[in-house]
Amino acid sequence: MVINFIRGFCMALADSVPGVSGGSVAFILGFYDQFIQSLDAIFYGNKKEKYHAFAFLSKLIFGWVIGFILAVTILTSAFDKYIYQVSSLFLGFILFSIPVVVKEEKRTMKTNKSSIFAGIMGIFIVVGISWLNQVLMNSSMVNLANMDIFSGIYIFVCAMLAISAMILPGISGSTLLLVFGLYIPIINAISNVIMLDFTYLPALILFSLGVIAGIVFIVRLVKIALWKYRCITIYFVLGMMIGSCYAIMIGPTTLEIPKEMLNLYNFSFLYFGIGGLIVVGLTKMRNVSIFQRK
């Protein structure tokens, strides 16, 4: 119970920040395969598989919900004020995570033309999405309070794509929501509903349905990729993680009031080191007996 709550909590903190993926946290903590298999079993498994998957995911989701509520209600305001410290921290988190993934997957990783191409594609996809976010950051945001049929369809489809990104290590669903002009509206809507203002509830329900639909489609594809093409998939994931460093560096430029991108002058070595220590702590945590329980 404790470890899965912490896992979900850490994933939520990552998912709530543009540039970082909860899937990356799952990979670092060594339960990504179990996470994907459990999601797949909920929709496609037999009765026994569904039971075990639900037992695992319910604890994970509980931690995720608590972590996300904390991020929305408390930490979101801190991201603007301390954006360079936060960006430095997550940059350290990602860069220290890459060797962890390589170490964990060294038995399956084989360097060839296909794997190198997959890694390069992973980098280009994340960098391309992040660049598009910069280009479109001044575009109008969606009004969730007054939806029509077209904006409803748009919200549903964007939710599908965003949750797909959150599941994949390296690419951030929050970044996609920024590109689509939905990140701030969704965060504000969740915050209002938490405060018992239900004006935005229909939009959030529609968004949730899009999330469920995205999980149904993407999880099966990821499971097949990990099972049949694991080496290529791992290189693709590593490429996305490398690409996410660029997304984190330009993160300050995507704020409601854009700031200068992360550079040597505003970079925080202290918080970069803290990000690295968090990765070390999370990896060490797996060796503690209490955290090895399912």
Side-chain angles (χ1 to χ4, degrees):
M1 174 67 182
V2 176
I3 180 55
N4 288 327
F5 175 87
I6 294 175
R7 287 169 170 175
F9 186 88
C10 293
M11 288 181 70
L13 295 183
D15 282 328
S16 63
V17 183
V20 187
S21 167
S24 299
V25 173
F27 227 102
I28 295 164
L29 289 179
F31 70 97
Y32 186 74
D33 285 298
Q34 184 183 8
F35 174 58
I36 292 298
Q37 290 169 4
S38 297
L39 287 174
D40 183 75
I42 287 291
F43 298 102
Y44 302 105
N46 56 41
K47 186 176 180 180
K48 183 178 180 180
E49 290 172 338
K50 287 180 184 292
Y51 173 79
H52 288 294
F54 179 79
F56 171 73
L57 291 174
S58 59
K59 301 166 187 174
L60 197 71
I61 291 172
F62 180 58
W64 191 95
V65 169
I66 298 298
F68 194 79
I69 290 175
L70 177 65
V72 170
T73 56
I74 299 177
L75 299 181
T76 302
S77 59
F79 294 149
D80 286 350
K81 188 175 181 180
Y82 303 104
I83 184 62
Y84 296 117
Q85 291 89 336
V86 172
S87 298
S88 300
L89 186 146
F90 278 108
L91 191 61
F93 186 90
I94 292 297
L95 289 178
F96 277 85
S97 298
I98 292 173
V100 174
V101 175
V102 172
K103 182 180 178 180
E104 290 293 321
E105 297 291 336
K106 61 182 179 181
R107 293 183 179 179
T108 59
M109 294 179 66
K110 297 178 181 178
T111 303
N112 51 46
K113 291 182 179 179
S114 297
S115 60
I116 293 175
F117 177 76
I120 293 173
M121 283 300 298
I123 294 174
F124 273 111
I125 287 175
V126 179
V127 170
I129 291 174
S130 303
W131 174 82
L132 185 62
N133 179 34
Q134 274 191 306
V135 173
L136 300 179
M137 65 182 179
N138 292 321
S139 60
S140 59
M141 291 181 287
V142 179
N143 186 349
L144 301 186
N146 299 300
M147 288 191 305
D148 54 29
I149 186 170
F150 296 106
S151 59
I153 293 173
Y154 181 76
I155 291 169
F156 183 86
V157 172
C158 289
M160 287 185 62
L161 296 175
I163 192 61
S164 300
M166 286 181 178
I167 290 173
L168 291 170
I171 184 169
S172 168
S174 298
T175 298
L176 279 185
L177 289 179
L178 274 170
V179 172
F180 300 141
L182 278 173
Y183 179 72
I184 294 176
I186 289 294
I187 290 295
N188 289 337
I190 294 173
S191 180
N192 285 329
V193 170
I194 291 173
M195 299 301 175
L196 302 181
D197 177 1
F198 300 110
T199 305
Y200 300 96
L201 186 59
L204 289 181
I205 292 175
L206 191 59
F207 186 84
S208 300
L209 292 175
V211 166
I212 294 172
I215 292 174
V216 171
F217 287 107
I218 191 65
V219 167
R220 176 49 60 101
L221 293 177
V222 173
K223 181 181 178 181
I224 293 173
L226 287 171
W227 179 39
K228 292 187 175 182
Y229 310 102
R230 190 173 186 90
C231 176
I232 293 176
T233 303
I234 296 301
Y235 270 92
F236 182 70
V237 167
L238 287 172
M240 289 194 295
M241 293 180 72
I242 293 171
S244 68
C245 292
Y246 172 76
I248 294 170
M249 291 176 66
I250 66 169
T253 68
T254 64
L255 295 174
E256 191 171 0
I257 301 176
K259 296 184 179 181
E260 188 179 13
M261 70 180 291
L262 187 69
N263 55 52
L264 288 175
Y265 296 102
N266 50 43
F267 177 79
S268 172
F269 287 96
L270 173 62
Y271 280 85
F272 178 82
I274 292 174
L277 288 176
I278 291 173
V279 174
V280 174
L282 291 175
T283 53
K284 293 292 184 182
M285 189 171 64
R286 287 184 293 172
N287 299 324
V288 180
S289 58
I290 187 174
F291 292 120
Q292 293 176 342
R293 298 172 186 173
K294 302 297 183 182

